[in-house]
Amino acid sequence: MKKLFLSIIAIAASCLAGNAQTTLADAYNSLSALSGMSEQSVGKIAVGQGNAISNAKTASVNVADGKVQEYRDKFVWMTENLPVRNMIIGANNQREMAAVYAVPAGGGKYNVLVLQGNTLSGNFSASYGQTNAAGIKAIRDSQVTMDSTELVVTPTSNSGNDSFVSMTD
């Protein structure tokens, strides 16, 4: 009986831990509250022809060499605490990182979180907003290019010159 009771408690704890995942809004709020982050409303971020992330807000910082590792660690920690099943595109080479997460918000809308960081330049940013299924598809179909000094995530060729995420040193 004692084993059965302990098993039930373990199962309940596992279920509760699974439901206590970090939400995209919580992740954005946590990162945007970091010391030195500056937040602004962006409105729309183009993610391809006719698609955009709307109601977007972005928090960013350009940190000096002494603080780069601290920000890198916090951004990497956040990506590790978000469910990987919600990542629709991402890249990381220990110097630059970019990741986009999306979850359904109802009514055909999706909440979107964009994280980017560059330890070479000290630029870090988090953006949060909403898009539709076509916007998610445009992001998912993006092309990722990465080398030693640059990481670029660009929507597919039919999207014009919209640059979704671009980081250089």
Side-chain angles (χ1 to χ4, degrees):
M1 186 64 141
K2 186 176 181 181
K3 287 182 182 181
L4 177 63
F5 180 70
L6 291 175
S7 295
I8 291 171
I9 289 176
I11 290 170
S14 296
C15 290
L16 290 174
N19 290 332
Q21 298 172 3
T22 303
T23 67
L24 300 185
D26 290 341
Y28 174 80
N29 290 333
S30 176
L31 291 173
S32 67
L34 293 174
S35 173
M37 291 291 266
S38 173
E39 184 178 41
Q40 63 181 2
S41 290
V42 178
K44 289 188 176 186
I45 301 170
V47 292
Q49 194 170 28
N51 298 306
I53 298 173
S54 59
N55 303 319
K57 53 187 176 179
T58 298
S60 60
V61 68
N62 188 354
V63 294
D65 286 341
K67 291 233 176 205
V68 167
Q69 282 305 117
E70 176 186 342
Y71 276 83
R72 178 191 172 278
D73 292 347
K74 288 178 181 178
F75 272 69
V76 169
W77 181 86
M78 189 58 68
T79 62
E80 291 173 351
N81 283 287
L82 292 168
V84 73
R85 70 179 173 274
N86 296 337
M87 181 189 287
I88 58 175
I89 194 166
N92 181 347
N93 70 0
Q94 302 289 323
R95 293 178 301 271
E96 302 96 4
M97 66 162 296
V100 181
Y101 294 83
V103 294
K109 295 284 185 189
Y110 291 81
N111 290 330
V112 179
L113 175 68
V114 180
L115 302 177
Q116 55 185 352
N118 187 326
T119 60
L120 300 173
S121 67
N123 292 319
F124 293 86
S125 70
S127 300
Y128 181 78
Q130 290 76 38
T131 192
N132 57 23
I136 297 298
K137 181 172 179 2
I139 296 167
R140 185 175 285 129
D141 292 345
S142 295
Q143 188 173 43
V144 178
T145 308
M146 185 183 298
D147 64 30
S148 63
T149 61
E150 181 177 51
L151 179 144
V152 179
V153 180
T154 309
T156 55
S157 60
N158 67 352
S159 64
N161 292 326
D162 296 327
S163 179
F164 185 61
V165 176
S166 179
M167 293 179 281
T168 59
D169 66 347

